[in-house]
Amino acid sequence: MEFRSRLIGVGSYLPEKVLTNDDLPAILETSHEWIMERTGIAQRHIAATNELTSDLGYQAALKALEYASISPQSIDLIIVATSTPDHTFPSTAVEIQSKLGIYNGFAFDLQAVCSGFLYALITADNYIKSGSVKRVLIIGAEIFSRIVDWNDRSTCILFGDGAGAVIMQAEHKLNLPNESGILASKLCSDGRYADLLYTDGGPAMSEKVGKIHMQGREVFKHAVEKMSSVSAEVLNQSGYNIDDISKIIPHQANTRILQSVSKKLNCPYSKIMSTIDKHANTSAASIPLALDYGIRTEQINSQDLILLMALGAGFTWGSAIVRL
Ligand code: UT7
């Protein structure tokens, strides 16, 4: 018997505190106009000092469980995509497992920075396809406000905190038209680009977490080129073309990147789901946050054919086509 994944739940959580562009000139030499024009970001959410990544992920998971109307006990795998875990170890995934009162199955963190959610989704899909798990909770949760250098205006203005969660369930594959599932996907990485976006610390490197450093223009060029080409490859693999896609949910880093990608893929910008203005770049949380927002605002509906794409530090990148 062959299996496929069906999305049965989605949820998200954003910390209460909102830092608008207009709040920033008080601490940095910048302006709302520059940030809006160069990035499309108008505001970002910032976690409270007593909030941890597991708290954000837990809240998003509760919403996804409520959406799916299932009990936490029925989850047999939890994957948390994050680069800002609560601790070096244990994983944020087991912290969330415990907060949800789940004492069965297994849980682990996955670190692929801004591509983390896509990596986690495809990993979950492969567990489901293998027949070894029935329900997977996939969470992207980040508190990047704790690893940005608040004196570096070229990076700190870009990021925000938040979490998004989805639940995928195993269904028998019947090969019917419009059957839900992950229809095609590709993940890539190339460590030669590690110096373009990194933190200057880590447990083994410095015994500290470190702060973000980025060569923005270089990352920008790679994001456009790599997300466009891997998406074209995945479209080709699926047998669909760009006109069949209902909505594109890219990693939310910069409006200008999304405009360039839509041009390269020959699709109208209106097909791109964007929450950059509201959430800024929330790394591994950005795709599930945008998916949840799209579903709640009815811009994304059941049966839609969705194209996902991301690029993150490493570089890591990839794309997937999902029928909801
Ligand atoms: O999530 C992973 C993927 N990440 C990304 O995809 C991010 C990709 N990169 C970008 O989005 C853009 O490169 C940035 C938004 C980071 C920067 O935009 P840019 O148009 O590439 O600007 P730039 O770095 O080339 O800087 C242009 C100017 C510089 O001034 P000079 O040297 O021309 O005098 C910067 O110092 O803008 C200045 N600048 C700022 N000015 C006001 C940089 N940051 C700011 C700021 N406010 N916050």
Side-chain angles (χ1 to χ4, degrees), residues 24 28-31 34-35 38-39 41 113-114 144 152-159 197 214-221 223-224 227 251-257 281-283 311-313 315:
L24 288 167
L28 283 166
E29 201 184 323
T30 190
S31 65
W34 190 94
I35 300 171
R38 304 311 295 162
T39 72
I41 295 166
V113 204
C114 298
F144 261 51
D152 177 6
R153 66 177 184 170
S154 68
T155 52
C156 73
I157 54 124
L158 301 172
F159 296 97
L197 178 52
M214 176 165 68
Q215 289 185 37
R217 276 191 199 181
E218 283 303 305
V219 176
F220 187 108
K221 280 190 270 178
V224 172
M227 289 202 298
H251 165 52
Q252 311 280 311
N254 186 319
T255 301
R256 291 185 298 125
I257 292 178
N281 181 345
T282 56
S283 189
L311 176 128
F315 289 134

